[in-house]
Amino acid sequence: VQLQASGGGLVQAGGSLRLSCAASGSIDRIYAMAWYRQAPGKQRELVARINSSGSTDYADSVKGRFTISRDNAKTTVYLQMNSLKPEDTAVYYCNAPPGSYFPPGGMSYWGKGTQVTVSS
């Protein structure tokens, strides 16, 4: 397992959760990463991403509510989710594409999904 995702759970609307995606196995450092989510019956969609310079961008649906960040050691990327809505309910996945991690490799790694359920 190269990426360890955690932090999902059940929360009421308006609540907060913080997801983590940690480097493991053969990945020592993460320079860039994206979080995706997939709700039942829907396609996987990009939620947020951070590049090697620390620049971030977000899906319109989560702007102002979600924050992606990376620890200084570049071993863990977080997704802070505030003001959660029922429509945020999904399985969340972290992704490290080629060129985004050290040591470098050609694989696109995905963390095991973590379930986020927001009740109304």
Side-chain angles (χ1 to χ4, degrees), residues 56-108:
T56 59
D57 65 293
Y58 301 90
D60 288 343
S61 59
V62 307
K63 278 181 183 176
R65 300 188 298 121
F66 289 13
T67 302
I68 188 170
S69 62
R70 184 182 57 211
D71 70 342
N72 289 336
K74 296 183 174 61
T75 60
T76 305
V77 173
Y78 304 97
L79 185 67
Q80 178 67 43
M81 305 185 295
N82 298 329
S83 302
L84 282 160
K85 304 176 181 180
E87 50 263 45
D88 294 318
T89 295
V91 178
Y92 285 70
Y93 300 89
C94 55
N95 171 246
S100 69
Y101 53 84
F102 181 86
M107 296 289 292
S108 180

Side-chain angles (χ1 to χ4, degrees), residues 12-77:
Q12 288 189 332
S16 298
L17 285 172
R18 189 175 79 157
L19 306 183
S20 300
C21 187
S24 66
S26 62
I27 297 181
D28 290 335
R29 290 191 294 278
I30 302 167
Y31 299 123
M33 179 166 283
W35 282 97
Y36 290 78
R37 67 186 181 188
Q38 187 166 20
K42 294 188 176 181
Q43 289 189 330
R44 190 172 296 190
E45 63 173 351
L46 177 66
V47 175
R49 57 188 172 190
I50 184 167
N51 67 16
S52 57
S53 301
S55 296
T56 59
D57 65 293
Y58 301 90
D60 288 343
S61 59
V62 307
K63 278 181 183 176
R65 300 188 298 121
F66 289 13
T67 302
I68 188 170
S69 62
R70 184 182 57 211
D71 70 342
N72 289 336
K74 296 183 174 61
T75 60
T76 305
V77 173

